[in-house]
Amino acid sequence: MDPAKQKFIDFVHRPAFRWFLLSKIPSAFFSGIRVRSIGENKSEVTVPFKWFSQNPFKSTYFACLAMAAELSTGLLAMMNVHEKDPAISMLVIGLEASYFKKATGITNFICEDGIAINDIVALAISSGESKTIKCQSIGKNNDGEIVAEFYITWSFKARKNNNKTKLI
């Protein structure tokens, strides 16, 4: 595995990542979103049903579900641009969501698009052009039932400067 990717994965598993969430994505921190795992191809992120993430209908607010889904894809995107030379800009340019069941407990979002993200980042670097990818994140409850399905579209573009992308 690329040392920069391993460095990013190690960072996500350290307590310092919670500080990163608090300082950079405070709504994710206060909603109780947690990274369960991250690897070269897959990441898992959970969001609980609790006071800060609830809606008036006694389930997890849709925006908290979307935030967890986006983070499951975004972690893989961040891992693949971390310390790249040239630096890579990344941006969410689209979101599609389908909801199937009330989220009344912990919802676990899984994205398995890490290899595809790696390939699109490499293509953005080699072509010098903006490239996009639509990543899937599926949220399931503790019984394994699908609660929601998200598609997050990411755009990647190599910057013109020679600085590396440093996220942590």
Side-chain angles (χ1 to χ4, degrees):
M1 179 183 296
D2 177 356
K5 286 182 183 180
Q6 189 59 55
K7 182 178 176 183
F8 184 81
I9 289 170
D10 292 344
F11 171 71
V12 169
H13 290 299
R14 291 195 334 249
F17 185 73
R18 301 224 347 104
W19 174 252
F20 174 82
L21 280 181
L22 178 61
S23 64
K24 302 294 183 187
I25 318 171
S27 53
F29 178 86
F30 289 114
S31 295
I33 289 175
R34 301 289 182 264
V35 177
R36 291 294 170 221
S37 68
I38 181 172
E40 203 161 11
N41 188 48
K42 176 180 167 184
S43 77
E44 284 186 61
V45 174
T46 61
V47 61
F49 169 66
K50 64 179 198 171
W51 178 81
F52 200 86
S53 65
Q54 72 179 340
N55 64 28
F57 310 107
K58 299 182 182 164
S59 62
T60 305
Y61 183 51
F62 82 95
C64 292
L65 295 170
M67 196 168 20
E70 188 271 340
L71 186 59
S72 73
T73 66
L75 285 169
L76 295 172
M78 290 169 63
M79 176 186 69
N80 280 287
V81 303
H82 181 65
E83 294 187 354
K84 287 289 185 194
D85 191 4
I88 307 294
S89 65
M90 55 184 266
L91 181 66
V92 171
I93 62 168
L95 174 111
E96 299 171 40
S98 297
Y99 302 91
F100 304 104
K101 190 165 183 59
K102 269 179 112 169
T104 56
I106 293 174
T107 306
N108 188 47
F109 284 91
I110 297 175
C111 176
E112 298 180 314
D113 293 330
I115 302 300
I117 292 170
N118 179 70
D119 294 346
I120 207 76
V121 168
L123 187 58
I125 291 170
S126 66
S127 72
E129 297 175 1
S130 178
K131 299 296 176 187
T132 62
I133 185 170
K134 186 186 276 192
C135 300
Q136 180 186 48
S137 183
I138 297 176
K140 295 182 180 180
N141 62 19
N142 284 336
D143 294 330
E145 301 166 311
I146 296 177
V147 172
E149 180 179 39
F150 286 82
Y151 290 94
I152 314 288
T153 303
W154 287 93
S155 173
F156 298 95
K157 185 173 183 184
R159 296 183 181 171
K160 302 228 187 262
N161 62 27
N162 289 332
N163 297 333
K164 288 184 178 180
T165 307
K166 285 251 180 185
L167 301 170
I168 54 175

